[in-house]
Amino acid sequence: MSPGSQHTSWSIVFRIAWRNLWRNHRRSLIMLSAIALGLWGMIWMTALMRGMVDQMIDSSIKTLSGHIQIHAPGYLDDPSIEYLMPPLDESPALQSLLGTDDVVAWSQRIRVPAVIRSERDVIAVTLVGIDPEKEKGLSFIGDSVTEGDYLTSVDDNKLLVGKKLLERLETRLNRRVVLMSQDPENNIAERGFRIGGMFDTDLEATETGYVFAGLETVRKMLKMGPGVSEISLLSHDYRQLDPLLEKTRSAAPAADVKSWIEQDPYMGSMLAVMDGFVLVWFTVIFLALSFGLVNTLLMAVFERTREIGLVQALGMKSTNILYMVLIESIIMLLMGLAAGNILSWLTILPLKDGIDVSSVAAGMEFAGMSSTLLPAVKMYDVVLANLLVLVLGIAASLFPAWRASRKVPIEAITRVWQ
Amino acid sequence: MTIEITNAVKCRGVSKVFSQGELAVHALTDIDLDIAAGEFVCLSGSSGSGKTTLLNMIGGLDVATTGEITVAGKRLDKMPMSELADLRLQHIGFVFQAYNLIPVLSARENVEFVMQLQGIEADQRRVNAMEILQQVGLTGMEDRRPAELSGGQQQRVAVARAIVSKPALILADEPTANLDSENSDKLMTLMRELNSQIGTTFIISTHDEGVMAFAKRLIRLHDGRIVSDEAI
Ligand SMILES: Nc1ncnc2c1ncn2[C@@H]1O[C@H](COP(=O)(O)OP(=O)(O)OP(=O)(O)O)[C@@H](O)[C@H]1O
Ligand SMILES: [Mg+2]
């Protein structure tokens, strides 16, 4: 073999790295646990954050907004009976779009401000006329009726009232209430309803803010023509709505088409804040980890000065010595990550039905939190956390590895030290 | 008819000065030395006379303050670090005075280490290592780590590693320091055999009269200077 042809002898580099790792058991185990716990912290924190955000978004979408909403221009500024959309038969393009695979569910609604009156109290609400079948799977009302009956058709003349509103009105199921609103001619429209069902949601504001009746019943009460206030539709993924949004806009050029996030900018900014928070959290954990890692490796390299000098003297190239330290670090990182992933999985698995946070949830209902928190483990987050620790961990090890590969003064191995 | 002898080692005007604070230690002064391929040289001298320093210079482990050193026809002072590393790996076997073995490797793995860097096949490595360990009298201790071996046994592992891949030049710094005279004689005999059979050049530093008896050429150092140089 000619000089200059020293190859990287991976087997020896690996063997020494592996055995070096276990020379100081305690130190290595502490570092391994730190990596494992760090990863666990990253995965848990993101899972909780994502769970929270998902729940908030889900409840916002379910409340009535859907993924995309279509209104007559002007309605969103003044949600009254004056701003109505023409019936669907008059816009065939929109009608056929609603029939495509992109749209999972959709429904039409009449939605007007109203006042509800019981024997005891008068409360302002939003009266929503719905198509009961089509609301199932689209908004919360389809599966939130816990007492009494859900509406059976658009002509159903019973009323669905929220649990909290029932309490405030001091009335009960099957009692009568009166609803008042305005018809298109600005006259008072009034109608008595029997309370047919009570709905229960996590959000007090939803329970007190809305009452539901059959679409055609409301239409008759308000003496209005064939128009509707809104069309709400649900697609597949709330993060990927842009293509459908485009199509909807071109199918209904005269209408005001909005995605849930445009409709609820508060939720959008909440999302951004959460993402930022996750990043800060990752950074903090990682800084602590890399500090420990660099420290551990430097200590090890320092302790091994003599043998590093020895392998240099025997002719091992500095790149191989660099690899030796890097591989030790990579093995440590990979084992720590494996342990961290297992730990995360073991601790999150039993909680897949949610964590009961009702004790703190009351204060957070405004934000759309419910009383159970469902940790949402996203593959993307787990992979990101793992990659982050691995890649940045290797980067942090470069310095100690470089230190090791520098020339050791020859006295380290040729002088007998007293 | 003259046979041209290629120089294995050539030193011209080599000096080494260590500065210790304000003090300058002249470890070597103006060394001129030619060692031909196939010689078996002993370096003797009292402690501090410069034996280790000279061996380090020849092995390319340290740089001379002034002067030129040529090994295997190559000027060491002109070589970049990585080429020096390759020269050591492919051309020179080392036994160091103070620290010789990689603690996490067994005796056999330590012997195989250099062969592994040289890219020799695993089977071949193993055969060579077992054979050489037997020759230095360490049969049955192949799997012990250095910490489980006595000082003398460690030294024999180091000698085994230095000679196993049959380099052209072997630099051994007090290889018998921790050995009894019986083991010391065995080791020296082994080295002499290697020298006469395949012409390996040896430079061995020692205090030991018994070791000097094996030398074909004896160089005495005193205070960093060569005071005598004689063929025996
Ligand atoms: N790194 C150094 N810094 C300062 N002085 C040094 C250094 N290395 C060696 N010396 C000095 O150089 C001189 C020669 O040392 P060297 O180690 O070569 O002697 P030696 O003949 O090998 O001695 P021994 O038989 O004790 O091993 C000594 O005076 C020593 O103190
Ligand atoms: Mg010495």
Side-chain angles (χ1 to χ4, degrees), chain A residues 252-396:
Chain A
D256 185 1
V257 179
K258 285 216 154 63
S259 70
W260 67 274
I261 203 158
E262 291 169 316
Q263 189 120 310
D264 194 348
Y266 165 74
M267 201 58 81
S269 54
M270 191 73 159
L271 223 101
V273 169
M274 292 278 193
D275 279 353
F277 194 84
V278 164
L279 209 68
V280 169
W281 177 246
F282 271 27
T283 313
V284 166
I285 289 189
F286 186 76
L287 280 181
L289 265 189
S290 59
F291 190 78
L293 191 66
V294 169
N295 203 46
T296 302
L297 288 174
L298 274 181
M299 230 145 80
V301 165
F302 181 72
E303 284 170 6
R304 298 175 199 153
T305 304
R306 291 190 106 189
E307 58 204 81
I308 290 170
L310 173 67
V311 297
Q312 283 175 353
L314 291 177
M316 194 181 219
K317 283 218 171 121
S318 50
T319 44
N320 283 356
I321 295 165
L322 188 103
Y323 293 148
M324 220 153 68
V325 177
L326 277 187
I327 285 169
E328 184 177 344
S329 160
I330 290 170
I331 296 173
M332 189 144 68
L333 284 164
L334 288 178
M335 289 178 36
L337 289 177
N341 284 314
I342 292 171
L343 186 68
S344 307
W345 187 69
L346 286 179
T347 50
I348 287 182
L349 199 66
L351 298 171
K352 64 180 189 307
D353 296 328
I355 307 162
D356 188 2
V357 290
S358 44
S359 53
V360 293
M364 300 185 78
E365 281 202 341
F366 73 93
M369 288 271 308
S370 73
S371 54
T372 49
L373 182 52
L374 215 59
V377 182
K378 301 261 154 74
M379 211 39 176
Y380 169 84
D381 292 334
V382 174
V383 170
L384 184 75
N386 275 280
L387 276 183
L388 204 74
V389 174
L390 186 64
V391 172
L392 295 182
I394 291 172

Side-chain angles (χ1 to χ4, degrees), chain A residues 409-411 414-417, chain B residues 16-20 25-28 44-56 62 97 173-174 205-207 221 224:
Chain A
I410 193 60
E411 296 94 71
T414 60
R415 285 195 93 185
V416 185
W417 301 88
Chain B
K16 179 70 180 179
V17 182
F18 293 105
S19 51
Q20 273 191 327
V25 181
H26 293 263
L28 290 177
S44 76
S46 55
S47 180
S49 59
K51 303 182 294 292
T52 299
T53 309
L54 183 57
L55 287 176
N56 287 349
D62 209 346
Q97 186 172 5
D173 200 355
E174 317 237 9
S205 88
T206 186
H207 284 112
L221 285 176

